[in-house]
Amino acid sequence: MTNNRSSFLRAINILFFFTEEVVKYETATCAWPELKQYPSTLRRIETDDRGHTRLALLRKAKTLPSPVCCCCCCCCIFFSNLQAMASAVSFPPANVQMLQGRSCHGHAAFGSCSAVPRTGPRVRSTAVRVSSEQEAAAAVRAPSGRSIEECEADAVAGRFPAPPPLVRPKAPEGTPRIRPLDMEKRPRRNRKSPALRAAFQETTISPANLVLPLFIHEGEEDAPIGAMPGCFRLGWRHGLLDEVYKARDVGVNGFVLFPKIPDALKSQSGDEAYNDNGLVPRTIRLLKDKFPDIVVYTDVALDPYSSDGHDGIVREDGVIMNDETVYQLCKQAVSQARAGADVVSPSDMMDGRVGAIRAALDAEGFHDVSIMSYTAKYASSFYGPFREALDSNPRFGDKKTYQMNPANYREALLETAADEAEGADILLVKPGLPYLDIIRLLRDNSALPIAAYQVSGEYSMIKAAGALKMIDEEKVMMESLMCLRRAGADIILTYFARQAATVLCGMRSK
């Protein structure tokens, strides 16, 4: 109590004048010797249009002489008059719990004070808590000017104020007058207001659900990708860090890396994929040094490193070799884990690669590195812009001998069972929107986290339609991501990640 009183006394000094009525004065700040010398109950602080502050003081005694105080030189006279007045009256002081004093110029002042009777512009008032509930109730008035006690007395006596009239909206002229349908359940009741719709929303999405794919290259400048507006091949030492910083600023903390490898480093066996000083390992080490708390996903496949543009080693008759490719992928995954990757993501669709990679990681001591398997990766036509971004189009043929047939549904269950048995930690479906049924299939048949990849073709279509004003880009973007979440995806790999997170944070997306 003493500390609170001392803090209050040091913070404010009030010069006041008592008359037969309630009067208001300019205030200043200086220390009071004792709170008991305060001879009235503080009711209200009022501030005029020029920022000057006044106090409303309620008289509780006969008219007393007025003290005069000018700056620091008059403090002795001021305190003497205060003591004289305190001895002449006998009523308890108010225990003011919150107050901020201001000088006549609107600035807080300490050690000086001045007093001027109330004149000038109309003031606005700010309520202040006082020592007792009775005093507070007396100070707080209803809009009608009556006290709380008066309003309560009317309620007890049954005199209630008239509520505003209930106005029912009228139907447009010509609407038929019919008998309402006999329905016990009307689902529209739970959709009738934004508050109700938000309360009953079943699916939510946040920046934590988004993973941002990033294209990187050896250059220092960022190169735009023509087929993917707003996306760039990022310089791994400059543009990449800037993009990650901006994404983290809106809550995105997951990133997956896709490298554009120089043609001179590509080979039929893809040996550059497991070079510890290659583009991806260097980038991982840089990101983990600058942003140690982010989650770095990597792509495990040979197509960026293969001179043939396929995900595996190509035999001379055009057959993609499965087991030999898996051997290379294991070395690639270990190299990425050694650089600091949190999650390695085999996207090649070779048989048995998840189990082999798990064994290789564990043998090297990387037990904590997760595997996100591209469980249901379809041979889709939606990958076109991505292949332009990485210059990884197959030199011949297609990828239908190892990627799944878009017409197949049950086959995804076979891949799911195999990946679970081999030790996958996350199951991914690619593409996203055209395969919502597959996402739901995996969600209903596996307890593992499900990922969905909203691929480059989906991104580019929304961007193109938005640029032509055929759709509202932002709304379609958010709806498409919500659909993926509703289907069962826990995380979504999307090029919209930063833009969507900006919207989720309540900021403009552009």
Side-chain angles (χ1 to χ4, degrees):
M1 180 66 184
T2 302
N3 292 336
N4 291 339
R5 182 174 60 190
S6 300
S7 299
F8 169 75
L9 295 176
R10 285 194 300 270
I12 183 166
N13 173 33
I14 305 172
L15 186 62
F16 46 85
F17 181 84
F18 288 92
T19 66
E20 293 293 331
E21 304 294 336
V22 176
V23 292
K24 302 174 176 63
Y25 289 93
E26 296 285 345
T27 62
T29 54
C30 66
W32 284 14
E34 291 292 337
L35 185 62
K36 67 181 181 181
Q37 295 178 342
Y38 184 40
S40 65
T41 301
L42 177 61
R43 298 298 183 184
R44 191 176 301 276
I45 299 178
E46 297 188 347
T47 307
D48 65 22
D49 295 335
R50 294 177 296 181
H52 295 175
T53 305
R54 296 184 175 91
L55 300 181
L57 302 177
L58 181 63
R59 170 187 173 279
K60 285 193 175 181
K62 295 181 179 180
T63 303
L64 297 177
S66 170
V68 178
C69 178
C70 298
C71 301
C72 297
C73 61
C74 298
C75 285
C76 294
I77 299 174
F78 175 63
F79 291 127
S80 298
N81 287 335
L82 281 178
Q83 293 174 354
M85 289 186 290
S87 62
V89 294
S90 59
F91 51 86
N95 180 15
V96 181
Q97 299 179 7
M98 180 180 67
L99 186 60
Q100 181 177 3
R102 293 286 174 180
S103 69
C104 298
H105 301 288
H107 302 289
F110 296 90
S112 64
C113 54
S114 60
V116 182
R118 175 185 175 184
T119 58
R122 184 178 181 180
V123 297
R124 57 182 182 272
S125 58
T126 304
V128 178
R129 292 182 61 189
V130 292
S131 58
S132 68
E133 293 184 1
Q134 291 180 347
E135 291 175 338
V140 177
R141 296 282 175 172
S144 63
R146 299 191 304 158
S147 67
I148 295 176
E149 288 82 358
E150 292 170 338
C151 295
E152 290 179 346
D154 285 347
V156 172
R159 297 188 297 270
F160 303 107
L166 178 62
V167 179
R168 293 186 180 276
K170 295 181 179 180
E173 186 176 353
T175 301
R177 298 176 64 88
I178 63 171
R179 180 180 178 181
L181 298 175
D182 187 13
M183 299 175 61
E184 291 185 0
K185 296 182 180 179
R186 290 179 179 262
R188 285 186 56 189
R189 291 173 187 144
N190 291 340
R191 309 175 196 144
K192 64 184 178 183
S193 72
L196 281 174
R197 291 194 295 273
F200 303 134
Q201 182 168 314
E202 301 173 15
T203 305
T204 60
I205 187 170
S206 76
N209 302 121
L210 306 178
V211 177
L212 178 60
L214 297 172
F215 301 110
I216 54 176
H217 68 146
E218 293 283 3
E220 296 185 357
E221 300 294 330
D222 298 343
I225 300 170
M228 300 179 66
C231 291
F232 298 82
R233 295 191 192 105
L234 302 169
W236 72 280
R237 285 188 294 186
H238 303 287
L240 172 68
L241 295 180
D242 183 59
E243 184 69 16
V244 171
Y245 177 84
K246 291 177 180 177
R248 290 181 73 249
D249 196 44
V250 291
V252 177
N253 286 296
F255 304 88
V256 57
L257 303 176
F258 295 102
K260 163 62 173 72
I261 302 299
D263 289 342
L265 295 178
K266 295 181 180 181
S267 64
Q268 288 185 308
S269 57
D271 295 338
E272 180 65 17
Y274 50 86
N275 178 4
D276 285 343
N277 290 319
L279 177 58
V280 171
R282 275 184 279 125
T283 301
I284 297 171
R285 290 194 292 268
L286 177 65
L287 287 177
K288 280 299 185 178
D289 178 64
K290 300 296 184 181
F291 310 104
D293 58 329
I294 66 173
V295 179
V296 176
Y297 297 77
T298 61
D299 178 54
V300 180
L302 296 186
D303 53 327
Y305 308 89
S306 170
S307 56
D308 294 315
H310 279 280
D311 291 39
I313 299 174
V314 182
R315 205 167 59 191
E316 63 180 8
D317 59 354
V319 173
I320 309 301
M321 305 175 71
N322 190 93
D323 295 3
E324 291 79 2
T325 297
V326 170
Y327 180 80
Q328 297 288 76
L329 297 178
C330 289
K331 292 191 287 183
Q332 182 184 14
V334 169
S335 176
Q336 293 170 351
R338 190 180 294 122
D342 299 289
V343 184
V344 296
S345 310
S347 63
D348 56 289
M349 293 299 291
M350 299 294 120
D351 294 337
R353 88 277 201 206
V354 173
I357 290 173
R358 182 75 271 163
L361 291 173
D362 290 349
E364 293 292 329
F366 298 114
H367 305 281
D368 295 332
V369 175
S370 302
I371 297 176
M372 180 174 70
S373 172
Y374 283 55
T375 298
K377 182 179 180 181
Y378 285 85
S380 172
S381 299
F382 284 89
Y383 304 148
F386 176 93
R387 291 171 181 168
E388 176 185 326
L390 296 186
D391 190 20
S392 61
N393 279 302
R395 186 172 58 85
F396 64 91
D398 52 41
K399 301 186 178 186
K400 293 181 180 180
T401 63
Y402 46 98
Q403 293 180 357
M404 290 175 58
N405 185 343
N408 289 359
Y409 177 81
R410 298 188 304 273
E411 186 180 3
L413 292 175
L414 297 176
E415 295 285 355
T416 298
D419 288 350
E420 280 191 329
E422 293 175 21
D425 300 287
I426 307 168
L427 308 179
L428 183 141
V429 177
K430 181 180 181 182
L433 282 177
Y435 296 85
L436 293 176
D437 58 331
I438 307 301
I439 297 173
R440 173 50 58 184
L441 179 68
L442 268 61
R443 173 74 290 151
D444 291 342
N445 288 275
S446 176
L448 290 177
I450 305 299
Y453 199 143
Q454 187 180 49
V455 298
S456 57
E458 301 171 65
Y459 170 86
S460 296
M461 287 193 301
I462 295 174
K463 279 288 185 180
L468 294 174
K469 305 301 180 183
M470 300 172 67
I471 61 171
D472 185 317
E473 178 186 317
E474 182 177 298
K475 291 181 179 179
V476 171
M477 168 188 71
M478 297 308 299
E479 183 178 344
S480 67
L481 296 174
M482 185 65 73
C483 290
L484 294 169
R485 284 280 291 153
R486 188 192 64 236
D490 297 290
I491 60 172
I492 303 169
L493 284 67
T494 174
Y495 305 98
F496 283 121
R498 182 160 73 90
Q499 184 179 350
T502 302
V503 174
L504 292 170
C505 291
M507 303 161 59
R508 293 180 61 87
S509 63
K510 296 181 181 180

